[in-house]
Amino acid sequence: MTETPSQQLPAVAFLGLGHMGGPMAANLAAAGVQVTGYDIVPEACSAAREQGIEVVETPQEAARSADVVITMFPSGKHVVDAYVGIDGAVGLLAAAPAGTTFLDCSTINISEAQEATELARAAGFTAADAPVSGGVVGATAGTLAFMVGAEPEVFERVRPLLEIMGGRVVHCGGSGMGQAAKICNNMILGVSMVAVSEAFVLAERLGLEHQAMYDVVSNASGQCWALTTNCPVPGPVPTSPANKDFEPGFAGALMAKDLNLATTALDETGAAAPMGRLAAELYNQFVADGQAGKDFSGIITTLRDGGRKSSREE
Ligand code: NAD
């Protein structure tokens, strides 16, 4: 008998059915993958059930029949704790059957991603880190970009699942290299958004119209995603969050999180990145100012206000 493609796909335990994990799991289920879900928050479980996911009562029950255990958690501590089990609970590593692959799609510290993979390996399993970019819109549409850190054979095992949830899947190297790629990209993004915002604030002070600056820079060497897709002023790019009072998009809290992960990686490696560190400081301040839920391009309002404050103080 010829197998259909869905019969060849590994069965998945999906843990963490939040803003990202919920729609990712739903896309797997819609593609015919056998998905068993679990989340600690009852609302996330009900939303996932409505999307056709079989949600079970414990993480161990989810893991028990899985070929691949996917986690989509807020932090590395959540991942490691779930793998090993805390407060007397049986961890995922103790519950999963032989041959399971652990695939963590959360954005976490590189060192924690490597620790999670080592723990899985020590327990006799294979593992990969595969953080994403593309946000909730990409998770829902199945167009996420996956950056994967794994041994080649592990990458090949998880690739069919990632191709269902994503539009682009890049094998970045061994353990932790998916997180490394994600953190490097987002450090560029944070720094470039600050640079574009500073240039608009300076243009305003100089009397240069937003549209005129955009028309020049978008076709010149200052061109970048922060300008041409996520433009921090309303008008030139009608779809950018600046046109909707900085409704995200990509929330400032997540940018601060990713830049803090980059800062940890800078500390651990000794690499110099004064701009990356400054961007982290600015986004931590953005969050402290109550802007955590605004799109990260809203940093322009902080920069603009900071400018006004210093001119008043003169
Ligand atoms: P979220 O808070 O909406 O979802 C995380 C879910 O994990 C929550 O529902 C929480 O209850 C659940 N959870 C925590 N511990 C658990 C456990 N032990 N067992 C089961 N469930 C548990 O967060 P999110 O926005 O979905 O983000 C998830 C990850 O994806 C984060 O690491 C984030 O940095 C990354 N990410 C998010 C975005 C985005 O736009 N939201 C974009 C790219 C990457």
Side-chain angles (χ1 to χ4, degrees), residues 14-24 38-42 44-45 59 71-76 78-79 81-82 92 105-108 131-137 144 182 186 249-251 254 257-258 261:
F14 207 116
L15 297 114
L17 302 166
H19 291 98
M20 297 291 290
M24 289 163 71
Y38 173 75
D39 196 291
I40 49 175
V41 172
C45 293
T71 40
M72 193 55 170
F73 291 160
S75 76
H78 289 90
V79 177
D81 284 355
L92 296 168
C105 295
S106 327
T107 304
I108 65 176
V132 305
S133 70
V136 176
V137 172
L144 292 169
K182 160 101 188 176
N186 281 16
F250 185 50
L254 289 172
K257 172 188 170 178
D258 292 354
L261 294 175

Side-chain angles (χ1 to χ4, degrees), residues 154-218:
V154 181
F155 174 68
E156 289 309 327
R157 183 169 202 218
V158 297
R159 192 215 288 253
L161 298 173
L162 300 180
E163 285 176 346
I164 292 168
M165 298 184 282
R168 191 167 151 74
V169 179
V170 180
H171 186 201
C172 299
S175 174
M177 292 307 105
Q179 300 292 349
K182 160 101 188 176
I183 286 166
C184 288
N185 179 73
N186 281 16
M187 191 170 79
I188 295 172
L189 181 59
V191 169
S192 61
M193 182 54 81
V194 170
V196 168
S197 299
E198 286 183 353
F200 270 114
V201 171
L202 177 60
E204 289 165 4
R205 292 295 179 92
L206 294 169
L208 175 62
E209 295 288 338
H210 289 163
Q211 189 65 49
M213 179 178 129
Y214 180 87
D215 289 345
V216 172
V217 179
S218 61

Side-chain angles (χ1 to χ4, degrees), residues 3-309:
E3 281 188 321
T4 63
S6 64
Q7 283 172 322
Q8 294 164 7
L9 290 166
V12 167
F14 207 116
L15 297 114
L17 302 166
H19 291 98
M20 297 291 290
M24 289 163 71
N27 282 334
L28 289 175
V33 177
Q34 186 198 317
V35 181
T36 310
Y38 173 75
D39 196 291
I40 49 175
V41 172
E43 291 75 19
C45 293
S46 334
R49 278 196 192 96
E50 280 168 25
Q51 295 290 318
I53 298 161
E54 186 199 343
V55 180
V56 292
E57 296 300 318
T58 65
Q60 297 80 14
E61 196 181 338
R64 211 165 284 143
S65 54
D67 299 313
V68 176
V69 172
I70 301 181
T71 40
M72 193 55 170
F73 291 160
S75 76
K77 180 167 167 39
H78 289 90
V79 177
V80 171
D81 284 355
Y83 278 21
V84 298
I86 51 163
D87 300 332
V90 175
L92 296 168
L93 296 174
T100 298
T101 296
F102 284 79
L103 175 63
D104 180 45
C105 295
S106 327
T107 304
I108 65 176
N109 273 320
I110 298 160
S111 49
E112 288 173 315
Q114 290 169 333
E115 181 189 351
T117 292
E118 271 316 306
L119 285 166
R121 281 186 187 151
F125 300 109
T126 53
D129 53 289
V132 305
S133 70
V136 176
V137 172
T140 306
T143 57
L144 292 169
F146 282 92
M147 296 147 268
V148 189
E151 296 306 312
E153 61 280 11
V154 181
F155 174 68
E156 289 309 327
R157 183 169 202 218
V158 297
R159 192 215 288 253
L161 298 173
L162 300 180
E163 285 176 346
I164 292 168
M165 298 184 282
R168 191 167 151 74
V169 179
V170 180
H171 186 201
C172 299
S175 174
M177 292 307 105
Q179 300 292 349
K182 160 101 188 176
I183 286 166
C184 288
N185 179 73
N186 281 16
M187 191 170 79
I188 295 172
L189 181 59
V191 169
S192 61
M193 182 54 81
V194 170
V196 168
S197 299
E198 286 183 353
F200 270 114
V201 171
L202 177 60
E204 289 165 4
R205 292 295 179 92
L206 294 169
L208 175 62
E209 295 288 338
H210 289 163
Q211 189 65 49
M213 179 178 129
Y214 180 87
D215 289 345
V216 172
V217 179
S218 61
N219 289 294
S221 46
Q223 189 276 334
C224 60
W225 189 92
L227 177 76
T228 56
T229 300
N230 220 73
C231 189
V233 296
V237 180
T239 50
S240 79
N243 296 279
K244 296 173 288 177
D245 192 27
F246 298 106
E247 186 187 307
F250 185 50
L254 289 172
M255 177 50 84
K257 172 188 170 178
D258 292 354
L259 287 168
N260 290 332
L261 294 175
T263 304
T264 302
L266 292 169
D267 291 341
E268 287 175 354
T269 58
M275 306 283 278
R277 287 184 188 277
L278 186 52
E281 266 177 47
L282 288 166
Y283 275 101
N284 285 326
Q285 188 57 50
F286 187 66
V287 170
D289 289 344
Q291 306 293 306
K294 294 282 186 186
D295 188 76
F296 80 116
S297 57
I299 195 79
I300 193 169
T301 53
T302 309
L303 296 165
R304 207 183 265 129
D305 290 350
R308 280 204 204 101
K309 192 169 158 221

